[in-house]
Structure formats: C-alpha cells, structure tokens
Amino acid sequence: MEQTWWLVFVAFNVCVVIYDLRWRRVPNTLLLAAMALQGLALVAVWTGLVAGTLPGARGWGQAAVGFLLGLAFILFWRLRMMGAGDVKYMAVLGLFTGPWILGLAVLWASVPGGVHALYQVFRMIRRGRAGRSARGVPYAAYIALAVLSVALMPSSSPWCSWCSSCCFTGP
C-alpha cells in the first residue's frame, strides 16, 4: 500500500507542476481524482483492509486538519494574491500530507514563489503597463516541487532523516 500511495502522490504532484507551469491552472478533475484516491486509502487503513499507516497524513484527523489548513489560503484568493486552483491544490495536498508537511512545503515554496512575484513586480515597474504579465505566479507548481523534493530525496541523506522524523511522525 505504501508504494502505491507514493506512486499516486508523486504522479499527482508531477501533473500539478506540468499543468501549472504550462497553462497556469490546476484542473478540478485532477484534484477530485487525487482526493478520491486519498479518501480510498484512508478508508482502507481505517477499516483495516490494509495493515499499517500511510506515509503522509496518519489518519482522518490529520488529513482533515491539513485539508482545512489548505483551505485557509482562500483568504489569499479573496485578496487576488493566489488563484483558486492554487488554493484547491493546497487543500488536497493537506489531505494527503496533513498539516506538518503542508506547512513545510508552503515555507519552502515561498522562496522561489516570492522571487518570481518580485520579478513580475520589478518588470511591471520598469516597463509600465506593458510589462504586466497576464500570467500569474505558479504557486501550486512551486509547492508541488517543494513536496516532491522531500518525496524524491534519498532516504540515506541526513536531511531526509531529520525531515522524515520531524514531519511524518508529527509532534
């Protein structure tokens, strides 16, 4: 079950990166499919059909808190600082990972996302209205890349050891 979970998790995030970088959108069908698969995995563990726990959210409680934490970013959508797809992606990612990894991913992704946003601001200042980009900052792609960097990190590295013990076991 763990290998299947990782396969779905990595495939989902790779698709998010591709869609967000290329088209600056995250399709609802992709988000719904990922939500359904994570829901099935949580049900399988909860009912005892599969022994053990999932690598991300350890149960419905962590998954729900992660989902709600991701939805809290709707404030940034209301302020027109993020797109709705970015917020929905963060909610689904929280469902997969729980609040700890979601928070860490947002923290790590804030650096490249912030640099990209500053680049767009400086470009608009230099060029005026003509320098304004019609495309927004691909926050979902940056967050997905941050999460994938943890997922694909060699497990023998000291950084991975610290990160997995801190984030995947919870407080």
Side-chain angles (χ1 to χ4, degrees), residues 150-162 164:
V150 172
L152 299 176
M153 189 180 304
S155 59
S156 61
S157 72
W159 176 250
C160 183
S161 174
W162 175 83
S164 64

Side-chain angles (χ1 to χ4, degrees), residues 7-70:
L7 180 67
V8 169
F9 182 73
V10 170
F12 167 59
N13 283 292
V14 167
C15 289
V16 167
V17 169
I18 292 168
Y19 271 99
D20 203 25
L21 288 178
R22 184 163 172 97
W23 295 288
R24 292 296 197 276
R25 61 182 308 270
V26 182
N28 288 338
T29 53
L30 176 65
L31 296 170
L32 289 172
M35 261 177 68
L37 289 172
Q38 177 63 3
L40 286 173
L42 287 167
V43 166
V45 170
W46 181 61
T47 59
L49 291 173
V50 176
T53 59
L54 296 174
R58 296 280 181 196
W60 286 103
Q62 282 188 4
V65 171
F67 183 80
L68 293 173
L69 180 63

Side-chain angles (χ1 to χ4, degrees), residues 122-168:
F122 288 130
R123 184 175 161 209
M124 191 172 76
I125 290 170
R126 263 184 75 186
R127 297 184 184 170
R129 272 263 198 238
R132 184 165 191 205
S133 176
R135 300 175 69 166
V137 177
Y139 289 119
Y142 288 129
I143 294 167
L145 288 170
V147 167
L148 284 173
S149 71
V150 172
L152 299 176
M153 189 180 304
S155 59
S156 61
S157 72
W159 176 250
C160 183
S161 174
W162 175 83
C163 187
S164 64
S165 67
C166 173
C167 300
F168 282 111

Side-chain angles (χ1 to χ4, degrees), residues 39-126:
L40 286 173
L42 287 167
V43 166
V45 170
W46 181 61
T47 59
L49 291 173
V50 176
T53 59
L54 296 174
R58 296 280 181 196
W60 286 103
Q62 282 188 4
V65 171
F67 183 80
L68 293 173
L69 180 63
L71 276 183
F73 282 85
I74 202 163
L75 172 67
F76 293 107
W77 172 75
R78 296 281 297 161
L79 296 171
R80 300 180 56 89
M81 296 171 70
M82 288 179 84
D86 299 328
V87 174
K88 291 182 284 186
Y89 165 70
M90 289 177 61
V92 174
L93 184 62
L95 186 69
F96 266 94
T97 64
W100 310 112
I101 291 290
L102 179 64
L104 191 60
V106 169
L107 182 66
W108 287 349
S110 65
V111 174
V115 169
H116 190 137
L118 285 174
Y119 165 76
Q120 286 188 339
V121 167
F122 288 130
R123 184 175 161 209
M124 191 172 76
I125 290 170
R126 263 184 75 186

